[in-house]
Amino acid sequence: MKKQGVWITMISNQILQSTLDGLKAIAGIDLCISDTEGIVLATTFSETEDNQNAVLTFAESPADSQVIQGCQFFKVFDDHQLEYVLLAKGTTNDAYMVGKMASFQIQNLLVAYKERFDKDNFIKNLLLDNLLLVDIYNRAKKLHIETDVRRAVFLIETRTEKDNNALETVRSLFAIKTKDFITAVDEKNIILVKELKLSDGYEDLAKTAKVILDMLNTEAMSKVHVAYGTIVNEIKEVSRSYKEAKMALDVGKIFYSAKNVIAYNNLGIGRLIYQLPIPLCKMFIREIFDGKSPDEFDEETLSTVNKFFENNLNVSETSRQLYIHRNTLVYRLDKLQKSTGLDLRVFEDAITFKIALMVVKYMKYMESLDY
């Protein structure tokens, strides 16, 4: 990213340290890298305190390389702007050659990380609808991202914010495939924009979601929910798949809390209820129950109703699973009918009650978001 017109590198000090350690292991030459103000970012030797003033002097000089205080100094540029100063310990030709190789390697890392950041930034803005249509295609072309391939968006919600273990696990699964993108637009959700083969369908998306779920539960020890949108054919439609995945995640939390994988194209009636305005929901509850909410019934009544629905309104099977006499179940259903006017043994009344329960769940969820 750029700050006040200056490129801020995305390379971590850990990556820089690992690079220097690897080069030293191969060539046997100690190396150190500093920022342009002389602050040491990574080093393979400890006597670096006396080099800060030398780094500042070298950074201001016109030379690209120079021998100072027994070290070879090199400048590492990014788009003609000085980014790092690299030191190779020693004044021999070998130290010079290793220093040149190291500065070349760091410069290549800058280019790679910059491109990765540019792509990540593009995907984020694409998902959030922050780009004009013409900008989408122009930027995709510059970043060498294909525009007319099949893709789908997976949304992975972690239990904790900034779950780096989960993020790294997802990257290890998909980042090696350079045509897939892993990013995030908030603290709790990891986003995978996956490129698909022509033969891939929704069964394949379900398998991918299951792989993500199992891998995160095992490798990252993270409890997650995975949702995914529909398959899109053009890059401009990727944001739609992302919005669908977001809706699927929310609908899943409200109506299908037992499920860890939720598909947008399999949300059922939950999708319809989720899009209802709250005033309309309140009007529906008042109309059906005369101001009384169905979740105000006691636990015994609600568990009886849910089990009755699970068994497709079958009185005998429901009473068997509840370990109660058939007449006891009939008594409970009659009692419910007197208080609500709905006979759950009648299909239309049962549907009305079921929808009412879902509407109340939705209203409670929306209220919780306001606090």
Side-chain angles (χ1 to χ4, degrees), residues 275-321:
Q275 297 178 85
L276 292 175
I278 294 297
L280 187 62
C281 293
K282 289 180 178 178
M283 186 186 300
F284 172 73
I285 295 300
R286 282 198 304 270
E287 180 183 318
I288 300 301
F289 296 104
D290 194 25
K292 187 177 182 180
S293 175
D295 67 336
E296 292 176 9
F297 296 116
D298 60 77
E299 189 62 36
E300 181 184 79
T301 300
L302 286 175
S303 62
T304 300
V305 168
N306 288 327
K307 185 62 70 175
F308 192 51
F309 287 148
E310 283 176 25
N311 288 292
N312 299 315
L313 315 185
N314 187 309
V315 174
S316 299
E317 185 60 26
T318 303
S319 58
R320 186 184 71 80
Q321 291 188 18

Side-chain angles (χ1 to χ4, degrees), residues 317-351:
E317 185 60 26
T318 303
S319 58
R320 186 184 71 80
Q321 291 188 18
L322 288 174
Y323 303 102
I324 60 176
H325 194 276
R326 176 190 171 94
N327 290 343
T328 304
L329 176 58
V330 170
Y331 168 76
R332 291 180 184 177
L333 294 175
D334 287 341
K335 183 180 175 184
L336 186 63
Q337 182 182 1
K338 286 179 183 178
S339 65
T340 65
L342 298 174
D343 185 353
L344 300 195
R345 290 158 291 193
V346 176
F347 179 75
E348 187 175 339
D349 286 358
I351 286 292

Side-chain angles (χ1 to χ4, degrees), residues 29-148:
I29 301 292
D30 276 305
L31 300 161
C32 174
I33 192 162
S34 305
D35 64 16
T36 55
E37 296 181 2
I39 305 300
V40 174
L41 305 176
T43 184
T44 63
F45 61 101
S46 56
E47 312 86 37
T48 57
E49 294 82 1
D50 299 332
N51 290 321
Q52 184 170 10
N53 289 333
V55 168
L56 293 172
T57 302
F58 174 64
E60 295 296 325
S61 76
D64 287 344
S65 63
Q66 193 174 351
V67 176
I68 307 174
Q69 296 177 350
C71 291
Q72 302 274 0
F73 280 57
F74 301 89
K75 290 177 179 175
V76 180
F77 294 92
D78 176 54
D79 281 345
H80 307 291
Q81 181 170 316
L82 182 61
E83 189 69 41
Y84 298 122
V85 173
L86 182 118
L87 285 66
K89 196 172 183 183
T91 58
T92 63
N93 287 337
D94 284 348
Y96 177 81
M97 182 178 68
V98 171
K100 285 290 283 183
M101 290 174 61
S103 59
F104 179 73
Q105 175 72 6
I106 299 297
Q107 195 153 319
N108 281 340
L109 279 175
L110 276 171
V111 173
Y113 272 75
K114 183 177 178 180
E115 181 176 322
R116 174 176 164 181
F117 175 77
D118 282 346
K119 285 186 176 180
D120 185 69
N121 191 41
F122 168 69
I123 293 297
K124 283 180 181 177
N125 283 308
L126 177 68
L127 294 170
L128 297 173
D129 278 334
N130 289 338
L131 298 170
L132 296 173
L133 187 61
V134 64
D135 292 334
I136 291 175
Y137 287 94
N138 286 340
R139 290 188 63 184
K141 184 177 180 181
K142 287 179 182 177
L143 294 169
H144 308 290
I145 297 173
E146 292 188 62
T147 58
D148 57 351

Side-chain angles (χ1 to χ4, degrees), residues 13-28:
N13 291 356
Q14 183 180 356
I15 296 293
L16 292 173
Q17 186 65 55
S18 176
T19 302
L20 297 193
D21 288 341
L23 288 167
K24 182 188 176 181
I26 295 169

